[in-house]
Amino acid sequence: MNVIECSGLTKVYGSRKAVNDLSFTIAENKITGLIGRNGAGKTTLLKIIAGYYRKSAGKITVFSKNPFNNIQVAEKLIFVDDRMSFPPALALSEILSSAAAFYPHWNKRIADGLLNYFQLEPKEKHQYLSKGMASTFNMIIGLASRCPLTIYDEPTTGMDAAVRKDFYRALLKDYIEQPRTIILSSHLLNEIEDLLEDVLLLRGGSKELQLPIAELKHYAVGLSGREEAFAEFINDVDILHQKQMGNVKYIVVRNNFSESLQKRIGMSGVEMTPVATDDVCVYLTAGNKGGIDDVFHRSE
């Protein structure tokens, strides 16, 4: 069953398309990573899914319903980001008690255990928490709610490395105990890739790709060697990124080689190396194939 289905989804602000003709599906009980650079449309897309924003065009269903301003959809999901707000008069313990009454799958054991583990004072007010501690508390709400659809938009903002690791471990352990559909938007793909089953990569409001994380890990390969060694095959590969380091040329290409092409590469003396998934996403969403180096080459 698909929890989310989008077809031609578009959101326009003035003359700018924040989301541009997006078509994809997200199945139930999977953890999907929503990846993209700043301004790629991630938050806009998530808020359309959550029912906060109305689409400009196209079609979207969440639990087979239009999510915008829909209480039947809202009761099945939670949207967690670093701008969550709570009544200023309520202490953290009171917020948790109120959430328990609102979310039918609320897990008090998880909520109380995490509040104690992260040394959050139950009588403290949310508005007085530091950025990192506020994000930690928001994460607790997201986990303990156990909503069928849980959306995290950059949930680790302000958290230090140790707390981020604890959050990822807590998310995975709770997901294994109670599977549900989770969307995790983050700039830190290298930190979360072991949690993910699928990746949806956005570029300029459009879908660049959607793949299982296992396939993304083999999506591209790095080739390095002396520049003249590339002459035999350079026109037959799909280059995503390239740079020159003295006499050595390095390129990243899509890993879709035919048997004959792979043999030609092997015979050229060029070395093949794996490419990290976060680097693949950076190269796929870059404005040019040379990256930041191109700026300096043009200025010379």
Side-chain angles (χ1 to χ4, degrees), residues 106-118:
W106 182 262
N107 189 302
K108 186 176 187 301
R109 172 181 58 86
I110 293 293
D112 293 344
L114 291 175
L115 194 74
N116 179 65
Y117 177 84
F118 289 109

Side-chain angles (χ1 to χ4, degrees), residues 140-153:
I140 294 173
I141 294 284
L143 286 177
S145 68
R146 289 190 161 182
C147 288
L149 174 56
T150 302
I151 299 172
Y152 291 102
D153 187 13

Side-chain angles (χ1 to χ4, degrees), residues 12 28 73 83 153 175 185 217 228 297:
V12 179
E28 67 176 346
V73 174
R83 293 173 292 279
D153 187 13
Y175 171 76
S185 171
K217 290 179 178 180
E228 56 269 22
H297 291 157

Side-chain angles (χ1 to χ4, degrees), residues 9-293:
L9 183 67
T10 299
K11 178 64 177 177
V12 179
Y13 296 108
S15 60
R16 183 176 69 90
K17 290 183 178 180
V19 173
N20 184 17
D21 195 27
L22 272 178
S23 298
F24 66 90
T25 61
I26 292 181
E28 67 176 346
N29 298 339
K30 281 192 173 185
I31 303 179
T32 298
L34 180 63
I35 309 300
R37 301 192 178 207
N38 289 333
K42 301 189 301 297
T43 295
T44 298
L45 172 61
L46 293 178
K47 289 190 173 182
I48 293 173
I49 292 171
Y52 296 176
Y53 292 171
R54 188 196 298 270
K55 61 182 173 60
S56 300
K59 181 180 179 181
I60 178 171
T61 59
V62 180
F63 299 111
S64 301
K65 301 181 184 299
N66 182 347
F68 181 69
N69 207 22
N70 189 322
I71 190 64
Q72 292 177 302
V73 174
E75 67 182 6
K76 294 181 180 181
L77 68 80
I78 185 170
F79 182 92
V80 180
D81 68 358
D82 64 346
R83 293 173 292 279
M84 291 183 78
S85 61
F86 302 95
L90 297 183
L92 299 183
S93 60
E94 293 172 320
I95 294 173
L96 294 181
S97 296
S98 298
F102 185 80
Y103 296 108
H105 303 289
W106 182 262
N107 189 302
K108 186 176 187 301
R109 172 181 58 86
I110 293 293
D112 293 344
L114 291 175
L115 194 74
N116 179 65
Y117 177 84
F118 289 109
Q119 300 179 9
L120 286 161
E121 173 55 50
K123 295 182 180 180
E124 181 67 277
K125 302 294 178 63
H126 189 271
Q127 61 182 323
Y128 299 128
L129 295 176
S130 68
K131 188 75 169 178
M133 295 303 279
S135 291
T136 302
F137 182 77
N138 298 348
M139 170 268 290
I140 294 173
I141 294 284
L143 286 177
S145 68
R146 289 190 161 182
C147 288
L149 174 56
T150 302
I151 299 172
Y152 291 102
D153 187 13
E154 298 290 347
T156 60
T157 300
M159 293 183 186
D160 60 38
V163 176
R164 292 200 305 271
K165 288 181 181 179
D166 281 337
F167 164 61
Y168 300 140
R169 183 164 178 80
L171 187 151
L172 183 58
K173 289 178 71 68
D174 196 52
Y175 171 76
I176 291 172
E177 186 175 316
Q178 179 63 52
R180 62 264 206 194
T181 303
I182 296 175
I183 303 175
L184 185 56
S185 171
S186 176
H187 289 89
L188 305 172
L189 179 57
N190 61 321
E191 288 192 359
I192 67 172
E193 64 176 288
D194 290 339
L195 297 172
L196 305 179
E197 295 166 85
D198 289 316
V199 169
L200 174 59
L201 178 64
L202 299 187
R203 177 182 181 182
S206 300
K207 183 177 76 173
E208 183 68 23
L209 60 77
Q210 184 178 19
L211 287 174
I213 188 68
E215 292 184 23
L216 183 61
K217 290 179 178 180
H218 302 285
Y219 185 84
V221 64
L223 303 176
S224 60
R226 297 184 67 85
E227 186 166 11
E228 56 269 22
F230 288 83
E232 289 298 317
F233 63 84
I234 193 68
N235 294 324
D236 299 320
V237 294
D238 187 0
I239 299 175
L240 304 178
H241 175 76
Q242 59 185 354
K243 62 182 177 181
Q244 192 79 29
M245 299 172 289
N247 293 327
V248 177
K249 185 181 185 69
Y250 175 75
I251 65 174
V252 175
V253 301
R254 281 188 172 85
N255 189 10
N256 56 357
F257 305 139
S258 65
E259 186 176 340
S260 61
L261 178 56
Q262 187 164 353
K263 184 179 295 185
R264 285 159 58 199
I265 292 173
M267 293 175 62
S268 71
V270 169
E271 181 184 2
M272 301 180 67
T273 57
V275 181
T277 53
D278 55 334
D279 286 339
V280 172
C281 291
V282 169
Y283 300 148
L284 284 170
T285 57
N288 52 63
K289 295 178 181 179
I292 194 67
D293 289 355

